[in-house]
Amino acid sequence: MRVLLVHQAFVSPGQGGGTRHYEMACRLVKRGYDFTVVASDTNYLDGIRKEGSKGLVSKETIDGINVLRAYTIPTYHRSFVWRVVSFLSFMVTSVLAGLSAGKADLVIGTTPPIFQAVSAWILSVIRRCPFLLEVRDLWPEFAVNMGVLKNPVLIWMARQLESFLYARASHILVNSPAYQDYLLSKGIKAEKISVIPNGVDPEMFNSSMDTRDIRKELNLENKFIATYAGALGMANDIDTILHAASMTDAPEIHYLIVGDGKERPRLQQLAKELNLTNLTFTGGVAKQEMSAYLTASNVCLATLQDIPMFKTVYPNKVFDYMAAGRPVILGIDGVIREVLESANGGVFIHPGKPEELRKAVMAMAVDPQISESMGKSGQDYVTLHFNRDNHAEDLHKLLNKVSRKAA
């Protein structure tokens, strides 16, 4: 089967960011799929254009996956308006790139950003093949809840576009069970929706690896390390971690922020203002190096803003933490809390509460045996219930089902 995926932020293990689509595509390629991805030539975390990119479309092959890098105006980190400009530029160039890919039996559009899903729909119409819409975040609801999108006219237009895509999709795929409930409330029929959650490739993590070198490199040989690993965006509420660090007076505890994003300069300035000597920013780290950072940590942190819609999310970083065998301090309520508590893989704290976070870190440091037990329990749970091998099998069945139905 020839599959075309339009995904502006597609990354491989050699880059920072989530690798869900890379991991799925690799497994489908091994099954004989011809898998092509139309992606941006600009990294969404740091805004830097990929080396070697030329013209409107650059071609490369990554582990059997055909990747077409479409030119994108590099303004993602300037402001909300300029971010939309960047999205719109990719919406146009991704269609041109997709047309250069040749025939397709099925086109996948993934959102957010929602504009790239429009590109995928256009390509499916031109190629006269099914359009599978993957919903990874509930846009525009998240933007409205966060106060990023305030204009009533723009909100109305965004919701009309959302409904337009739902109606025209041959099938809708979501990565959280709560998203399915949201779509049902929008009047989408249950048989049109499938759930393939976020998860992990267990082989990408080694919880028993020797991390003395990385601890030495970070100058944290004898520290209890509490790590946040992921994007540094507005939604991620890294401020709570910084304020928890400012309240922590135990010299053996050190906070590590691994990742990059639009908010990094502001957060580094805040850390300077708080005079934090117990917190380090590493910058962006490739996914293939992430295992070492997580294994070197004693506990991992996951935070999001205290917004009702965030109760619906399955953040991939939580599954990565658990796969690495590390206990999780979870500042996110909702469906991901249910996963963590079912796994006995860590502790929940209320979102946006730095004092709760500080106390949870201290408790983990005081009782390392319980921490290690939680880490092992979480690792066993995600390996069994959220294994990417099983998810790829489910996606293979879904793609064939959608293709046969269209035929």
Side-chain angles (χ1 to χ4, degrees):
M1 183 185 294
R2 295 163 297 190
V3 176
L4 178 64
L5 165 67
V6 180
H7 186 8
Q8 184 168 349
F10 175 83
V11 296
S12 65
Q15 302 167 284
T19 52
R20 167 185 169 95
H21 296 91
Y22 163 83
E23 293 165 25
M24 293 286 209
C26 281
R27 286 161 171 78
L28 293 179
V29 166
K30 289 179 180 179
R31 286 179 173 270
Y33 281 67
D34 183 343
F35 205 104
T36 300
V37 180
V38 177
S40 173
D41 65 354
T42 303
N43 188 287
Y44 78 102
L45 288 176
D46 56 26
I48 298 174
R49 195 177 188 203
K50 184 175 176 59
E51 186 177 350
S53 296
K54 297 179 181 179
L56 278 179
V57 183
S58 300
K59 300 181 180 180
E60 63 178 318
T61 302
I62 304 174
D63 296 327
I65 307 165
N66 307 310
V67 181
L68 303 175
R69 300 279 180 189
Y71 173 76
T72 308
I73 296 176
T75 55
Y76 182 77
H77 292 311
R78 289 189 189 176
S79 67
F80 176 74
V81 173
W82 278 109
R83 188 183 312 175
V84 173
V85 170
S86 178
F87 292 157
L88 291 174
S89 72
F90 179 77
M91 183 176 76
V92 175
T93 57
S94 61
V95 172
L96 299 176
L99 290 175
S100 73
K103 292 183 179 180
D105 298 309
L106 184 144
V107 178
I108 304 174
T110 184
T111 174
I114 201 167
F115 306 107
Q116 65 185 359
V118 176
S119 306
W121 169 70
I122 291 172
L123 287 166
S124 74
V125 172
I126 294 172
R127 295 302 184 197
R128 300 192 179 197
C129 63
F131 167 45
L132 175 64
L133 175 63
E134 181 191 41
V135 178
R136 293 179 293 113
D137 280 332
L138 298 178
W139 196 94
E141 294 306 317
F142 286 178
V144 173
N145 268 237
M146 290 173 61
V148 174
L149 192 57
K150 299 177 181 179
N151 187 293
V153 175
L154 292 179
I155 292 173
W156 179 83
M157 291 174 63
R159 285 181 172 150
Q160 291 299 114
L161 179 57
E162 177 191 30
S163 298
F164 175 89
L165 289 168
Y166 292 161
R168 278 150 187 80
S170 305
H171 199 82
I172 301 174
L173 171 64
V174 297
N175 65 6
S176 165
Y179 293 176
Q180 183 176 38
D181 297 336
Y182 172 84
L183 293 174
L184 291 172
S185 74
K186 291 285 185 179
I188 310 297
K189 295 181 179 179
E191 57 267 26
K192 191 177 180 178
I193 309 167
S194 295
V195 181
I196 299 179
N198 277 331
V200 294
D201 178 354
E203 294 183 3
M204 294 184 75
F205 300 92
N206 179 5
S207 59
S208 61
M209 68 185 298
D210 188 342
T211 59
R212 285 176 293 183
D213 287 346
I214 194 167
R215 278 178 162 261
K216 185 176 181 179
E217 179 185 329
L218 294 167
N219 197 27
L220 300 175
E221 290 107 316
N222 300 311
K223 299 291 186 178
F224 181 92
I225 304 175
T227 296
Y228 170 89
L232 307 184
M234 184 186 300
N236 302 107
D237 192 27
I238 310 302
D239 295 62
T240 291
I241 299 175
L242 268 61
H243 286 292
S246 71
M247 298 173 181
T248 304
D249 55 8
E252 72 276 11
I253 294 177
H254 197 92
Y255 294 81
L256 195 63
I257 308 295
V258 182
D260 208 342
K262 181 184 177 184
E263 290 286 288
R264 182 181 168 189
R266 184 190 67 80
L267 292 166
Q268 288 180 315
Q269 180 58 37
L270 177 59
K272 185 180 292 186
E273 292 170 3
L274 293 172
N275 194 29
L276 298 181
T277 58
N278 61 346
L279 184 141
T280 301
F281 289 89
T282 68
V285 170
K287 185 63 180 282
Q288 62 193 10
E289 300 172 16
M290 190 61 72
S291 176
Y293 282 86
L294 298 185
T295 305
S297 306
N298 299 96
V299 63
C300 292
L301 316 175
T303 53
L304 282 175
Q305 286 190 24
D306 189 10
I307 291 173
M309 287 304 297
F310 284 160
K311 292 183 178 181
T312 64
V313 303
Y314 261 10
N316 211 77
K317 65 173 61 65
V318 177
F319 297 105
D320 287 349
Y321 294 165
M322 295 167 75
R326 294 299 171 259
V328 181
I329 296 176
L330 182 69
I332 310 167
D333 206 348
V335 290
I336 191 62
R337 177 184 177 182
E338 294 172 9
V339 171
L340 188 70
E341 291 179 346
S342 295
N344 190 30
V347 297
F348 166 76
I349 61 166
H350 293 92
K353 302 292 183 183
E355 177 60 16
E356 282 192 40
L357 177 56
R358 182 195 70 82
K359 288 181 178 179
V361 172
M362 292 288 291
M364 293 281 186
V366 168
D367 199 338
Q369 286 189 334
I370 289 182
S371 300
E372 290 174 13
S373 175
M374 286 181 172
K376 182 63 169 65
S377 179
Q379 185 179 48
D380 291 343
Y381 189 86
V382 294
T383 300
L384 179 62
H385 296 286
F386 292 92
N387 194 309
R388 200 72 88 193
D389 287 337
N390 298 332
H391 295 165
E393 174 68 20
D394 292 340
L395 181 59
H396 164 67
K397 292 177 180 177
L398 176 61
L399 294 179
N400 280 273
K401 172 185 171 182
V402 174
S403 183
R404 286 196 304 270
K405 186 176 180 181

